[in-house]
Amino acid sequence: MASIYIETFGCQMNEADSQYIADRAAASGYEVTANAAEASVVVLNTCTVRDNAERRAYGRMAHFKALKNADPSLKLVVCGCLAEQDKDTMRAAVPFLDGVFGTRDLARLGDALASWRPSFDDDLSLADERLLIEPMGGRADCVGDAYAHVRAFVNVQRGCSYYCTYCIVPHVRGRFDNRALGEILTECRAALARGARELTLVGQTVNAYREPAGGADFSDLLEAVHALEGLDRLTFLTSHPKDYTAKLARTMGALEKLNPRFHLPVQCGSDRILRRMNRKYTVADYRAKIATFRSHCPDWALTTDLIVAFPGEDEDDFAATLALCEEMAFAQAFMFVYSPRRGTPAAHWEQLPPALGGERLRRLAETIDRGVRAWHRAKLGRTVRALVVGPSRKDRSKLAAKTTDNVTVIAPAGPLGEADLKARPWLDVRVDEAFTWGCTGHITGVAERYDGVAVPVDARPTVDLIA
């Protein structure tokens, strides 16, 4: 049967786009494969938020050229933000591509897959030259493993209209384009019908959502999705402080199926640098938003994004960021050294030395990690309910799962097999140890639903020396 291999770089919006591509491919008669060397079509869904992501994507294109050389019938396609940014130059730079589809071209990519399908033999036999290709590496997305169905990402909005001076997103995804509420609910119902236990509503600035026709805001959208039959848990990414309102805080505190984790990027603790970033708020504004959040959601995890070594950042600016992070005690943070992006204002400003960026990132990580470890240690001795992810990458005799506040837990699988976990994907894990990356423990029960009664399990090993 004709097959498609999809490899995704970047954010949850790209993950949702890859799922759309997989769904369109399946509707056209393709099977999703985890092995690029077996695929009829190879799709790279790219990111351009950082320079490293661009270089990796172009490197993967060159890597996959070996497959194209071995079997010219293979279709090699690039989509996503890098394809949007470089759409006028990519075909010349990488002439062996069969298609370049920007962020606004996903429907056209789906149409291309349908048009190519008749050219692939259902009894696909690989060319001898392809069988000699060394393993390609990389990680496939959208492959229907036993647990893929339990989570679903649903795009509610594309683009962004805020034009932070470091960010390429408005240039490659366009300005705000909000989907109709009814369309979103239809997609959510379909995911729940497939067995999804957790829905993630995704947008670049998701809390700025405004329904195009009726004017419903993000709070209204949350309430509508929360009311869907069959939903276990609901979460959303990513919010902007400018659009965080008292109404949204009240809604978050009132909806019992919302995951108790709020991701609100602050980026920096210096007002001077926030102005240069065009973030549209001050540190005092951020503190006030968090105070409102805490008044309605006192026990939730607060997570954030941070950039160090932004052009013009001096030691006082960085010290202000460290102080804010100590104050907030974030439960998790995504931290980056500033990376210039072509086409953004900040890329033209004087840059700080890379060594300084690395040193500041190390110091920031030390500060953040104290809060992260404290959050994880608070789980010691407790039993937490977590949604299975699958076998641990480091030890396949153990299971990885995510708590509702997005903490990774690892525990021996014991007698639990794939059939058990497909039927009951919620794990009750007694936490025995806490680390910066997450927690380890042992499984005491499994449940079909988040609020359901667990079936007892004794998955404790006789000896467990490897975390």
Side-chain angles (χ1 to χ4, degrees), residues 411-432:
L416 295 171
E418 185 176 293
D420 302 310
L421 295 165
K422 287 177 70 174
R424 296 182 176 87
W426 289 104
L427 313 181
D428 282 353
V429 181
R430 176 81 171 180
V431 176
D432 299 323

Side-chain angles (χ1 to χ4, degrees), residues 331-333 368-369 371-381 384 386 394 399-403 405-411 429-442 467:
Q332 186 185 41
I368 290 293
D369 286 351
V372 174
R373 285 192 294 268
W375 186 263
H376 295 170
R377 282 196 299 268
K379 298 183 184 299
L380 286 171
V384 298
K394 293 185 177 181
L399 292 171
K402 287 280 191 178
T403 63
D405 57 351
N406 202 45
V407 175
T408 298
V409 291
I410 304 292
V429 181
R430 176 81 171 180
V431 176
D432 299 323
E433 293 186 272
F435 306 89
T436 304
W437 57 262
C439 300
T440 61
H442 59 275

Side-chain angles (χ1 to χ4, degrees), residues 118-175:
S119 67
F120 299 119
D121 193 333
D122 280 335
D123 297 321
L124 180 66
S125 57
L126 300 180
D128 290 342
E129 291 84 354
R130 286 183 72 170
L131 297 175
L132 298 176
I133 298 294
E134 293 292 325
M136 303 300 292
R139 187 178 175 200
D141 296 280
C142 306
V143 180
D145 65 30
Y147 316 112
H149 66 287
V150 301
R151 291 176 175 82
F153 294 98
V154 178
N155 271 329
V156 305
Q157 167 202 79
R158 295 186 183 277
C160 182
S161 300
Y162 288 164
Y163 291 91
C164 297
T165 57
Y166 56 82
C167 184
I168 195 65
V169 167
H171 306 278
V172 295
R173 287 192 174 267
R175 298 177 66 84

